[in-house]
Amino acid sequence: MLESLYVKDFAIVGEAEIAFGPGMTVVTGETGAGKSLLVDALLLLSGGRAEATMVRHGCERAELAAAFDLAAHPDLRDWLIAEDLDEDGACQLRRVIRSEGSSRAWINGRPVTLTQLKTLAGGLIEIHGQHEHQALLDRTQQLALLDAFGEHGTEVAEVTRIAKAWRETTARITELSRGTDHAERIEWLNHQVDELDRHALAPDDLLALEEQHRRLANSGQLLQGGAVLAERLDGDSEFALLRLVARAQSEIAHLAVLDERLEPIGELVDAAQIQLAEASDALARYQSALDLDPERLAETESQLGKLHELARKHRVRMPELKAHADSLREELESLRGAGASIATLREEQQRLASTYAAASKKLGKKRGTTAQTLGAAVSALMAELGMHGGRFEVQLEAQSGDEPDPQGTERCEFLVSANPGQPPRALRKVASGGELSRISLAIEVAALGSDTIGTMVFDEVDSGIGGAVAEVVGQKLRALGERCQVLCVTHLPQVAAQGHRHLRVSKSSDGASTETRIESLDGTTRREEVARMLGGIEITRETLAHAKQMLGSAMRSGEE
């Protein structure tokens, strides 16, 4: 529900803040006073197109803001949370239009795009006027309205779910098929996996092979170097290390007799002698195990050469060949099972198609019944609203297609005949502005409670009518106001008298500038405004009495 509207430097409005309440609020004023400026402001706050001419002359920018109560709209609160625009349950729309024509928008103080603004406002407010009926003329919206009127939500959701599942299944089939020859790919993968399984090594095994190759490739140098080292450790030369250490041991033992402090040094030399002896033994064992093996060297070189070849072929490093083989094996298994998977998916596709046919048939049957009910209800209300002999019909057209449609198997077209004897034609082609306003009102009244819009705005829906019909329009708007918030701009006293609240728009000028004033009326001021609408410039006792009677009658009818 709209709680308040603030406008500043907008058109001929200097600054105004208007509070709104539940029920039906009427907006009246003399012609040219700017009654429709409130509607224009709400249109802009709903994401409408902004123009530089909307800024008050001599000002840099126009500012508009509206606050809404979301107590009855948990879905919109969830949307604000999802968009990171929530603010402790508040909902404030704000828009600034600059004199050069640019504009910016905010929701709860955070900058947003016009698309976000339109999305939120679309769930908050619905505007009906002689030039604001695009939603009513759009066939998609007509179908949505029919489903809302008939409370087809469960059936529509089921049809949409099945259609989505069918499309996902079809996409999976296409993905598995890919338009390629699986047999050829499977044969290629088989060959690659077999080859890699024969030759590829795990990283640790590859390191061992490279170490072995390095040893075999240098075995001659290792044998020669080992012999030289053995001679230096324990050879026949007087400079062999073990011989030199033995002499050192003898000399230290002789000197230690003279000075026992040399005994620890002797022990260290003894330990060195032991280490050198162990090293000489280990070297001897190494030499006996080491042997020239040209055939084994050739084998390791061939194996490494094959690994290098595979690495280049598959464009991976040698240590990654084993993992690459596993990856190709997974693809191979997937393709081997693709045929079975596709068959299973095709069965699921057929099952979903059959389920969709049943669900869409059920929805179509309900839509047919609802179309007749809505057509009859709107036709009856059209007669009450001064379109005697007019007829409203909802035409359902079957849709053909190979794929399940999320909207069902039919499309909707609103047809209308405004005059007796004329065949009904598409609403978007034949209705005038005034007729469209009244038809819109008839649809809204017929569909009371079938949508979740909290605020409905009617701009000059009473254009071209008067007398008893005008009173009926007012009564219908008041009845609508019992279910949701209604804001109605009117020039008819019969409609104005039916409002729960009354705003008057007036214009004043000091010769240099013009300004619009918006004030709330009650009691005497409201009676005087209705009298002005009844009698023109001169207000007599009779017109005041008539105005009082109209207001009293509206209040009594509202209490019944």
Side-chain angles (χ1 to χ4, degrees):
M1 183 184 76
L2 177 64
E3 293 182 318
S4 65
L5 176 66
Y6 173 80
V7 295
K8 182 179 181 182
D9 296 331
F10 178 62
I12 55 175
V13 180
E15 185 174 16
E17 185 168 7
I18 309 108
F20 295 90
M24 174 185 174
T25 298
V26 294
V27 181
T28 65
E30 295 180 357
T31 300
K35 298 188 295 295
S36 294
L37 286 177
L38 295 181
V39 179
D40 293 338
L42 291 173
L43 278 171
L44 286 168
L45 286 168
S46 299
R49 181 180 177 182
E51 296 179 358
T53 54
M54 297 173 175
V55 181
R56 182 176 169 84
H57 180 69
C59 298
E60 293 184 358
R61 65 181 190 176
E63 185 172 345
L64 313 168
F68 290 85
D69 180 2
L70 297 184
H73 295 279
D75 56 326
L76 297 182
R77 293 201 301 271
D78 292 341
W79 183 88
L80 287 173
I81 293 172
E83 296 289 323
D84 294 326
L85 297 170
D86 56 307
E87 190 65 37
D88 296 328
C91 179
Q92 185 181 64
L93 313 184
R94 180 171 173 252
R95 194 166 180 190
V96 171
I97 304 157
R98 297 195 173 276
S99 56
E100 74 273 10
S102 64
S103 72
R104 293 183 64 192
W106 293 263
I107 295 177
N108 287 333
R110 297 175 177 85
V112 295
T113 64
L114 283 184
T115 299
Q116 289 175 300
L117 191 67
K118 287 179 181 178
T119 300
L120 178 58
L124 290 170
I125 190 166
E126 189 172 290
I127 299 176
H128 300 274
Q130 294 191 35
H131 305 291
E132 301 299 335
H133 295 281
Q134 287 79 6
L136 186 60
L137 300 180
D138 183 74
R139 296 188 65 183
T140 301
Q141 295 300 320
Q142 291 176 359
L143 185 63
L145 190 149
L146 178 71
D147 287 331
F149 179 76
E151 298 181 349
H152 305 152
T154 302
E155 291 77 13
V156 172
E158 180 65 6
V159 165
T160 301
R161 183 193 67 79
I162 298 171
K164 181 181 178 183
W166 186 92
R167 291 183 178 183
E168 289 175 348
T169 302
T170 302
R172 180 61 180 155
I173 292 173
T174 302
E175 179 184 350
L176 287 175
S177 300
R178 293 187 200 167
T180 60
D181 186 351
H182 283 177
E184 183 179 336
R185 179 69 176 174
I186 287 173
E187 183 180 354
W188 183 87
L189 285 170
N190 261 325
H191 174 73
Q192 303 306 317
V193 170
D194 287 345
E195 186 178 40
L196 287 168
D197 282 345
R198 288 196 307 272
H199 300 287
L201 297 175
D204 289 345
D205 295 334
L206 178 62
L207 286 174
L209 177 65
E210 290 175 332
E211 182 181 350
Q212 185 184 49
H213 175 264
R214 186 167 55 251
R215 184 171 62 250
L216 288 170
N218 296 282
S219 57
Q221 182 179 347
L222 290 171
L223 283 171
Q224 183 180 358
V228 172
L229 182 59
E231 180 65 24
R232 289 183 178 176
L233 284 174
D234 190 17
D236 295 332
S237 171
E238 60 177 314
F239 298 108
L241 291 178
L242 282 172
R243 288 176 180 272
L244 292 174
V245 170
R247 287 200 293 267
Q249 284 178 309
S250 176
E251 291 176 2
I252 290 175
H254 177 71
L255 293 173
V257 173
L258 301 176
D259 189 349
E260 61 183 11
R261 290 180 299 176
L262 289 173
E263 289 180 357
I265 298 175
E267 292 174 358
L268 290 174
V269 174
D270 291 343
Q273 190 273 337
I274 294 171
Q275 293 291 327
L276 286 171
E278 290 180 355
S280 179
D281 292 341
L283 181 59
R285 290 192 298 272
Y286 172 79
Q287 286 179 297
S288 64
L290 189 63
D291 192 13
L292 293 175
D293 191 347
E295 291 183 2
R296 182 56 185 153
L297 175 61
E299 289 177 6
T300 58
E301 286 182 342
S302 176
Q303 190 173 1
L304 286 171
K306 186 62 177 179
L307 290 172
H308 279 290
E309 177 188 337
L310 289 173
R312 286 193 301 270
K313 177 180 178 180
H314 293 278
R315 297 181 181 180
V316 297
R317 296 169 54 247
M318 283 199 299
E320 298 170 359
L321 284 171
K322 196 71 174 177
H324 183 62
D326 293 338
S327 176
L328 293 181
R329 186 177 293 104
E330 288 180 7
E331 182 184 354
L332 177 61
E333 294 302 321
S334 175
L335 288 179
R336 282 173 174 166
S341 297
I342 290 174
T344 302
L345 288 170
R346 290 198 186 282
E347 291 178 3
E348 175 67 6
Q349 187 184 44
Q350 291 299 320
R351 186 192 68 79
L352 288 170
S354 176
T355 306
Y356 176 83
S360 60
K361 182 178 180 180
K362 180 180 178 182
L363 174 60
K365 186 176 180 180
K366 282 201 165 190
R367 281 173 170 171
T369 302
T370 301
Q372 294 180 359
T373 304
L374 180 61
V378 175
S379 295
L381 287 165
M382 285 170 62
E384 292 185 59
L385 296 174
M387 302 178 72
H388 298 285
R391 190 165 80 257
F392 180 85
E393 295 181 4
V394 180
Q395 181 184 71
L396 294 175
E397 301 173 356
Q399 296 292 298
S400 59
D402 298 331
E403 298 184 3
D405 191 308
Q407 296 184 60
T409 55
E410 51 274 317
R411 290 295 178 268
C412 177
E413 179 82 79
F414 286 176
L415 307 179
V416 64
S417 171
N419 300 297
Q422 290 184 346
R425 296 177 59 195
L427 178 64
R428 54 195 166 89
K429 296 181 179 179
V430 300
S432 66
E435 290 171 338
L436 196 54
S437 296
R438 277 178 278 166
I439 293 170
S440 172
L441 176 61
I443 292 173
E444 292 298 343
V445 173
L448 276 174
S450 64
D451 58 30
T452 59
I453 301 297
T455 302
M456 294 186 182
V457 181
F458 295 90
D459 186 15
E460 304 281 355
V461 295
D462 48 19
S463 177
I465 62 174
V469 173
E471 187 172 354
V472 172
V473 169
Q475 291 171 351
K476 298 300 182 185
L477 286 169
R478 185 180 179 94
L480 186 59
E482 299 292 341
R483 299 294 298 270
C484 66
Q485 185 185 43
V486 172
L487 178 62
C488 177
V489 177
T490 181
H491 64 278
L492 294 179
Q494 295 92 334
V495 175
Q498 294 291 332
H500 297 93
R501 291 171 178 76
H502 196 143
L503 299 175
R504 178 172 62 193
V505 180
S506 58
K507 183 170 63 175
S508 61
S509 175
D510 59 4
S513 63
T514 302
E515 187 164 334
T516 289
R517 181 186 176 194
I518 304 169
E519 57 184 322
S520 178
L521 304 182
D522 198 5
T524 302
T525 54
R526 186 178 185 191
R527 186 168 63 250
E528 290 175 350
E529 174 63 8
V530 174
R532 180 198 65 76
M533 299 173 73
L534 281 166
I537 298 175
E538 184 178 352
I539 300 177
T540 63
R541 289 182 180 179
E542 289 76 11
T543 55
L544 283 170
H546 191 187
K548 182 178 181 180
Q549 180 186 7
M550 291 177 67
L551 290 166
S553 176
M555 185 176 297
R556 287 192 297 274
S557 65
E559 294 174 352
E560 294 176 355

